[in-house]
Amino acid sequence: MLFHRVLTCPVDPRQSQPMLRHKRPVRLLLSFVMVAAGVFAGSAVSTSSASADSCYTWSGTLREGSKGAAVTQLQIRVAGYPGTGSVLAIDGSYGAATKAAVTRFQKAYGLTADGVAGAKTFAKIYALQDSDCSPANFDFAELNKCNSSWAGGNVSAATAKNNALRTMWKLQAMRHALGDKSIRVTSGFRSKSCNAAVGGATNSRHLYGDSADLGSGPHSLCTLAKAARNHGFNGILGPGYPGHNDHTHVDHRSGRTWKAPSCGI
């Protein structure tokens, strides 16, 4: 596991460089073993053989009509596949929207796209996640360059960190859709003191841990802003919107606000 970096509050988080992460070979091997087990054993195989996963292990197949914590955990990981302009509710109920998101996830990774989450779908998720539940190419430290305790914002530390986890899985989906090229995160959660130090708005979504500022790199800011529309972000602010010409901001606000005039949004 990577160690979290702590920056003092007066530093503008948008100037920090990201930590780039890669899938661990052992996790890829585990994924191959689980997929192979599903192929040879057929539908009788459950995901119990994947108990080595150190974040979360599903114990059986999930499908439309399923309910509970296992569905909630699945929804977090496929929330980046809700369809253009949509947001997947993380409510523990496997309805039509969750089935559609699972189908898009499966299609994105070359799996049988039937909307049923079974051994092969879970194996792909296991291959994408690390022991702290973060996705392969993003880290909690990237989403918190201000205060490693996650305290001091507008929500509890636990809620802020959980919100950041959901953001990372959406960014992972967006990264994959953009050709698996890196996405540079320049700012995430901020405590009230950090937010004030960088001149953030008093009602900033950064105070809730459910937002990220993205810098240009392999992708232009407009490419990022346009792509975010497909991956469950209600808030998108980018070039042409005051104060956002040097980054694209994404968040989970309750109502849709997409404003990046220079990008045609």
Side-chain angles (χ1 to χ4, degrees):
M1 182 187 301
L2 296 176
F3 293 97
H4 292 184
R5 297 178 295 168
V6 182
L7 302 182
T8 56
C9 291
V11 176
D12 186 342
R14 289 179 291 179
Q15 302 304 313
S16 301
Q17 294 299 313
M19 297 173 67
L20 298 180
R21 305 172 63 212
H22 308 280
K23 298 175 184 177
R24 296 185 176 92
V26 68
R27 190 166 291 281
L28 286 175
L29 177 60
L30 176 62
S31 174
F32 173 79
V33 171
M34 289 185 291
V35 170
V39 169
F40 289 110
S43 59
V45 173
S46 75
T47 55
S48 60
S49 60
S51 58
D53 190 82
S54 52
C55 167
Y56 185 86
T57 300
W58 285 269
S59 60
T61 299
L62 297 174
R63 54 174 50 85
E64 194 166 6
S66 298
K67 296 181 182 297
V71 176
T72 298
Q73 292 296 325
L74 175 64
Q75 288 172 328
I76 290 170
R77 289 154 180 81
V78 300
Y81 295 90
T84 302
S86 297
V87 176
L88 180 66
I90 312 298
D91 58 6
S93 180
Y94 203 125
T98 298
K99 179 180 179 180
V102 170
T103 300
R104 293 186 189 96
F105 173 86
Q106 293 167 329
K107 186 177 297 185
Y109 285 101
L111 304 175
T112 299
D114 58 6
V116 176
K120 293 183 181 180
T121 298
F122 296 135
K124 174 51 66 176
I125 293 175
Y126 296 144
L128 289 173
Q129 77 180 4
D130 285 324
S131 59
D132 62 358
C133 300
S134 63
N137 298 104
F138 295 91
D139 190 87
F140 281 106
E142 289 180 80
L143 272 292
N144 184 355
K145 302 172 187 290
C146 165
N147 179 354
S148 62
S149 72
W150 297 88
N154 280 356
V155 292
S156 70
T159 297
K161 189 173 184 179
N162 188 54
N163 285 343
L165 179 66
R166 298 181 183 194
T167 299
M168 285 190 282
W169 279 100
K170 292 185 179 185
L171 289 175
Q172 183 71 31
M174 185 168 148
R175 184 185 190 278
H176 184 59
L178 289 173
D180 286 313
K181 295 179 180 178
S182 64
I183 291 178
R184 190 164 66 94
V185 178
T186 61
S187 183
F189 169 75
R190 299 176 193 159
S191 65
K192 293 177 182 177
S193 58
C194 286
N195 189 59
V198 299
T202 56
N203 63 342
S204 171
R205 296 308 306 180
H206 290 282
L207 296 166
Y208 297 84
D210 69 357
S211 65
D213 288 349
L214 311 177
S216 60
H219 311 291
S220 71
L221 296 179
C222 283
T223 293
L224 295 169
K226 291 177 180 178
R229 297 175 298 179
N230 304 320
H231 298 288
F233 292 107
N234 260 341
I236 304 172
L237 304 175
Y241 184 75
H244 290 74
N245 286 324
D246 63 348
H247 68 284
T248 290
H249 169 96
V250 294
D251 66 48
H252 305 318
R253 68 187 65 194
S254 57
R256 183 189 298 178
T257 301
W258 291 353
K259 294 183 179 181
S262 295
C263 307
I265 298 175

